[in-house]
Amino acid sequence: MTAFASSVEQPKDMAALVLSGGGSRGAYQVGVLSAIADLLPNDSLNPFPIICGTSAGAINALALAGGALHFREAILRLTDVWGDFSCDQVFRTEWHQLLKSAFTFGASQFFGLNRDEPVSLLDNSPLRDLLAERINYNGIAAAIARRRLHAVSITAFGYESGHAVSFYQGRGTIDPWMRHRRVGIPTRLNVDHLMASSAIPLLFRPVKIHREFFGDGAVRQQAPISPALHLGASRVLVIGVSSNLARQQAEETRPRGEPPSLAQIVGHMLNSTFVDSLEGDIELLDKINRMALLVPHSGTRESRGFKPVDVLVISPSKPIDVIAARHRRELPASLRFFLRGSGATRSTGGSALSYLLFEQGFCRELIELGYQDAMAQQDKLMEFLGLVCKI
């Protein structure tokens, strides 16, 4: 987890932005980024030489990396997209399409039909069109060439290898890495990598890259902060999409003695995938940082490489599950019908629903929450960004 010196000398101080996964919860990250844009001077350059993301966080990461030459404008574009979101921009919600997807999925899983083609419960082809249109993939190379960006990484899960693969694009001095179940591969990023990283298991189709099918990177990402450290980060800003408060609130609102609904079970599984690994990684990094301070620096390469990494974490101060439950009626009628039996459209099904609720009201409330949470940590953010507060 600590940063180790690579074979080529890197800049001594590089800030990294780490954006976790979480489906429609990714709107929260945009609110935090909007606050950062307001804190920075108007003529500021991209403050994050390293940007890493997974799942929905990967989408936000590549949007920022592609617009790194105009950082503030990139955040404004992200805010516009998330603020006007609707489910039909992410997956098809027509009655006939949902029925077709459900039938195809059932025929494949229960009767073995069309097993040569990947299937899913939802058709997310609209998301591919959106990502192909709105993200400037050529802008990544331009930003790297002009030294406004050191590297960008997005993580996907390889179904055959079982590895969390971080596909990264950056300066040629960055060495690939291989750890237990974690691999870093240099490449030129495109829409396929994004679709793979955000392909939530069963809900969205896995994506074939080269010879392997990939799905949502959060599935086996045991160390979400690790890619940033491998790319050379000395300090990390992590924008999460969950909080202990949200989990406590979900437990308090659940009726005691009643069996959990399918939506509650799925919600806990999604939380385990998208939330627990990041929280555990932050806790582990904190322990390693404390240990690093106790290690004497003898001047050897080993002692120089073992160094603490400053980490600032911003995560929701209010339970996203409860917010999603309030907005559940914003879902298209067709989707509400299909989710009703699972319990996702009840007040207790907010956890699972919060990952699929790509609707304007919910996303805008998360954007506002992210903005307020970031401003509540204004002093820490300004210190992290190297800004001096003028009174």
Side-chain angles (χ1 to χ4, degrees):
M1 280 298 307
T2 47
F4 289 89
S6 68
S7 59
V8 180
E9 188 68 22
Q10 302 285 6
K12 292 183 178 180
D13 180 42
M14 284 199 293
L17 175 65
V18 175
L19 303 171
S20 64
S24 53
R25 294 182 178 210
Y28 176 85
Q29 298 171 348
V30 178
V32 176
L33 293 170
S34 295
I36 291 174
D38 285 349
L39 291 175
L40 291 170
N42 290 333
D43 57 349
S44 292
L45 303 178
N46 169 33
F48 303 108
I50 298 170
I51 303 175
C52 302
T54 303
S55 193
I59 295 173
N60 291 336
L62 248 61
L64 290 178
L69 293 177
H70 307 283
F71 183 73
R72 184 182 298 273
E73 294 178 13
I75 292 178
L76 289 175
R77 287 194 295 270
L78 259 181
T79 306
D80 288 341
V81 171
W82 280 94
D84 290 327
F85 242 145
S86 60
C87 286
D88 57 12
Q89 292 178 284
V90 180
F91 48 85
R92 299 189 63 176
T93 60
E94 307 97 317
W95 284 93
H96 73 277
Q97 184 58 47
L98 289 174
L99 286 168
K100 177 183 177 182
S101 296
F103 176 81
T104 303
F105 183 86
S108 173
Q109 300 306 307
F110 297 108
F111 301 104
L113 301 179
N114 298 322
R115 284 193 171 181
D116 293 337
E117 293 294 328
V119 294
S120 61
L121 288 170
L122 297 172
D123 177 2
N124 62 339
S125 56
L127 179 61
R128 173 179 283 274
D129 296 337
L130 180 70
L131 297 179
E133 176 187 352
R134 296 298 185 96
I135 294 183
N136 181 10
Y137 299 94
N138 293 329
I140 299 174
I144 292 171
R146 295 180 59 178
R147 297 183 180 273
R148 302 287 179 83
L149 181 69
H150 181 69
V152 57
S153 166
I154 64 174
T155 300
F157 167 67
Y159 279 102
E160 183 176 346
S161 65
H163 291 163
V165 180
S166 296
F167 297 100
Y168 68 89
Q169 184 173 345
R171 303 196 66 80
T173 58
I174 303 173
D175 295 330
W177 63 87
M178 179 175 290
R179 299 292 185 270
H180 178 66
R181 298 292 184 185
R182 293 182 283 121
V183 180
I185 298 177
T187 190
R188 189 176 181 91
L189 296 169
N190 57 44
V191 68
D192 286 336
H193 298 99
L194 273 186
M195 292 298 293
S197 181
S198 58
I200 300 175
L202 300 182
L203 295 180
F204 301 142
R205 290 186 180 187
V207 177
K208 193 172 186 179
I209 299 177
H210 303 305
R211 297 181 179 180
E212 186 173 9
F213 280 98
F214 288 87
D216 199 297
V219 172
R220 290 291 292 273
Q221 193 176 28
Q222 300 175 351
I225 302 176
S226 176
L229 304 184
H230 281 291
L231 295 174
S234 57
R235 49 197 173 95
V236 181
L237 172 62
V238 179
I239 306 180
V241 294
S242 186
S243 64
N244 290 327
L245 174 61
R247 189 170 300 174
Q248 293 168 3
Q249 183 71 29
E251 292 174 355
E252 290 169 2
T253 56
R254 175 181 165 180
R256 301 297 179 181
E258 293 188 7
S261 66
L262 177 60
Q264 287 176 316
I265 294 173
V266 171
H268 282 295
M269 292 175 62
L270 291 173
N271 285 337
S272 177
T273 298
F274 290 104
V275 177
D276 292 351
S277 59
L278 177 60
E279 293 179 348
D281 201 29
I282 293 170
E283 182 178 353
L284 176 61
L285 182 58
D286 180 62
K287 292 179 179 178
I288 294 178
N289 279 340
R290 294 180 186 180
M291 185 172 64
L293 295 175
L294 302 176
V295 175
H297 293 271
S298 62
T300 64
R301 176 178 175 180
E302 289 76 12
S303 66
R304 290 198 306 269
F306 194 70
K307 57 187 178 182
V309 177
D310 294 330
V311 179
L312 174 61
V313 181
I314 299 179
S315 58
S317 60
K318 297 181 181 180
I320 291 184
D321 303 8
V322 175
I323 297 173
R326 286 204 307 267
H327 290 274
R328 62 186 185 275
R329 291 182 178 83
E330 295 177 12
L331 278 176
S334 56
L335 200 58
R336 288 203 308 272
F337 176 82
F338 278 94
L339 293 176
R340 184 173 57 186
S342 69
T345 56
R346 303 176 204 157
S347 60
T348 55
S351 183
L353 190 64
S354 65
Y355 291 93
L356 289 175
L357 194 50
F358 293 93
E359 291 295 334
Q360 187 179 102
F362 177 64
C363 290
R364 288 187 177 183
E365 185 165 349
L366 290 193
I367 291 173
E368 179 61 25
L369 177 61
Y371 187 93
Q372 296 301 329
D373 285 349
M375 285 303 184
Q377 298 196 52
Q378 178 176 342
D379 293 341
K380 292 182 179 180
L381 265 176
M382 294 186 73
E383 180 181 355
F384 183 92
L385 296 169
L387 302 174
V388 178
C389 185
K390 299 180 180 180
I391 302 177

